[in-house]
Amino acid sequence: MFSKLLIANRGEIACRIIKTARRLGIKTVAVYSEADRDALHVDMADEAVPIGPAQATQSYLDIAKIVNAAKATGAEAIHPGYGFLSENPDFARALDKAGVVFAGPNVKAIEAMGDKIQSKKLAAKAKVSTVPGHLGVIKDAKEAVKIAEEIGYPVMIKASAGGGGKGMRIAYSRKEVEEGFGSSKSEAKSSFGDDRVFIEKYIEEPRHIEIQVLGDKHGNVIHLGERECSIQRRNQKVVEEAPSPLIDAKTREAMGAQAVSLARAVGYDSAGTVEFIVDRDRNFYFLEMNTRLQVEHPVTELVTGLDLVEEMLKVAAGEKLSIKQKDVRLAGSAIETRIYAEDPTRNFLPSTGRLVRYKPPPLGTEGGITTRLDSGVEEGGEISVYYDPMIAKLITHAPKRLTAIEHMGNALDAFAIDGFRHNIPFLAVLMRNERWREGSLSTKFIAEEFPEGFKPPRPKGEVRDVLVAIAASIDHLSNQRRRAITQQMHGEPVRFAEIRIVELVEERVRVTMEGGLDGPLSVVLGGEGTGGKKRKINLATDWWFGVPVFEGMINSKPVAVQVRPILNGYHLTYQGVEVAARVFTERETELMAKMPVKVRPDTSKYLLCPMPGLVVSLNVSEGQEVVAGDALCVVEAMKMENVLKAERDAKVAKVLAKPGDSLNVDAVILEFA
Ligand code: ADP
Ligand code: ADP
Ligand code: MG
């Protein structure tokens, strides 16, 4: 085994690799860009080497700098993680030349599988079922249309060098092929420096199911079952699970056999993933092979009990696989949610900022349920525009799928992250979604379940009652605490009425408090005209002032609610519901009615910049009439080009930004008449 390993990556995956290396007694070397000087992976490694500016092309993607860092520190091997140089054959070759071991597959396998056109050809040869399509480079839009019409609509236009969901477009008509061909080609060019695109049949309502394979340098190849990753937005995975609720033992065996056959065909000798799309009838078609560790590998680790990074390091060091196919056991069910710095209410646009608060839920194994966090950040750290906006992965494992889902829901509720927008509210809602719980999935799931985009749900029923009870209890505790302060001036003792009115959105609920500081607490809601029928809620909690998450039992069920103080109340988040809950005495409520109401400005006449970004182009000019859906402006953020479209028919009155402008969120780009 190696004695020193360099990790050519950053964020959660670098941290995750360091953990295994440390357990195996291997010393670790981190590399970092200027933007990552204070990053967690740098802290965790035994040594760290600076490799240049924030831009990945000048640091994490710079082969020479990384090879030099390995040489300078005496690292014998490099683990590339995912993304960056992980699937770059030039990198693997450069390491070979420098005499450093690449903890990944051999160069030939990377090359063969790195190109979607070539890998599909190889797969067909290895008797793997592939998506019907045209296996050649397409010259121009005219040829694209011809081929699309031969295959039959809908089709998918894809970058041969593509990855991470980039450079692909669905087309249902001639017009969409023409448009998609151009945009796919230019996105491929800017993302991968390779503008070759091809076309295949678009499989409707498919499920994304992939097989984890593992090979060594002695010709052994096994598979570790499947993962389902159908919950995607913009063709990028958000939630993954193992096993798939769709797959039966027979299909698993068939897919596994094809994946192993493809891996053997290229002499695969590391951990890798063969991706398939699967239709309703469990017909499966090969999509691509990823010749690296996958983001979602933890779900496989939790159901198999293996450590995939350990296996990768061992086979890289020349050891034989420690297990045979017949020894692979799949136990229980694991779910992974990817926590992104992005705004789910704004079509998942990236968000940036400082992690003002970062408090993960309780981790570890208890009562047969495991909660794992793979994270690359710490409180105080910064989410910059330079890298992927994924900040952590939360994984749960339980004997049954629904238990793992329930537990994930609670863990997400208890995860406190402040400083920028993130997708936890969205994930928390998803965990309570009936269709997800039933497991009837497709890659269109998000689009179908949230047709108008994600809006935080309004508080109703039990969720509303929990929020009211918590707001009232905190207010009650704080009043009692104030009363209990010693050394107060003598005089008339302060008296607090125990009846409160909790205002939640536009609703008012009357509550009566019982119990207090050192005992159980009960809240009686409603009755006497405000907030519906009378009902009683019992709370048990250790919560204390200043803690951002109110955790406890409510009517004997575990709950976790995010609590942030605001004027006269608390901003609360629970199961994706985000509300301001204000607590008043009855007299205050009477007086409130006399207060003037502040009117919010009407911004419907403006096109506002939805995220901090750079104006790439403006597609309209002053005086122009636009119809709903027209592209108005292109803004680049997080290396993604975002097309801002007209929400309704309108006339452009003023153009207030120009290409090259760097805009803040909510900056005005256009004014409509
Ligand atoms: P997985 O299939 O492991 O879930 P994704 O497709 O979501 O992986 O991509 C994993 C990460 O790697 C993402 O950060 C993505 O941006 C990056 N990535 C994937 N393929 C490439 C590639 N060919 N070039 C650059 N980055 C890539
Ligand atoms: P990447 O390298 O970017 O991960 P993939 O080929 O793996 O690209 O595709 C990513 C996602 O796009 C898949 O998970 C699937 O949801 C969707 N997709 C890709 N090809 C097709 C297709 N032919 N039909 C339907 N969906 C597809
Ligand atoms: Mg893929």
Side-chain angles (χ1 to χ4, degrees), residues 412-423:
L412 287 164
D413 285 345
F415 204 147
I417 301 181
D418 291 341
F420 48 80
R421 301 294 306 184
H422 52 72
N423 66 340

Side-chain angles (χ1 to χ4, degrees), residues 82-84 87 161-166 192 237 240 275 290 292 294-296 338 388:
Y82 55 71
F84 295 129
E87 293 177 280
K166 284 183 196 129
F192 314 111
K237 302 159 184 169
E240 300 98 341
E275 299 190 333
N290 292 327
R292 55 167 159 90
Q294 202 94 342
V295 173
E296 58 275 18
R338 298 190 186 189
D388 195 286

Side-chain angles (χ1 to χ4, degrees), residues 116 131 156 158 162-166 168 200-203 206 208 232 235 275 277 287-288 443:
K116 288 196 164 73
V131 185
M156 190 129 188
K158 281 185 167 182
K166 284 183 196 129
M168 60 173 74
E200 65 186 21
K201 179 87 187 155
Y202 178 68
I203 310 288
H208 176 119
Q232 307 183 345
N235 293 321
E275 299 190 333
I277 42 180
L287 262 188
E288 61 159 347
T443 56

Side-chain angles (χ1 to χ4, degrees), residues 39-109:
L40 184 60
H41 75 284
V42 176
D43 275 0
M44 281 176 68
D46 297 310
E47 280 173 78
V49 182
I51 49 164
Q55 286 81 1
T57 45
Q58 295 174 55
S59 49
Y60 297 106
L61 286 168
D62 189 323
I63 295 177
K65 281 182 186 157
I66 290 172
V67 172
N68 288 341
K71 282 192 177 152
T73 53
E76 305 154 72
I78 293 190
H79 196 301
Y82 55 71
F84 295 129
L85 296 170
S86 60
E87 293 177 280
N88 185 322
D90 295 335
F91 181 54
R93 253 192 302 266
L95 293 186
D96 259 359
K97 232 179 97 193
V100 178
V101 177
F102 177 66
N106 63 76
V107 179
K108 274 204 192 123

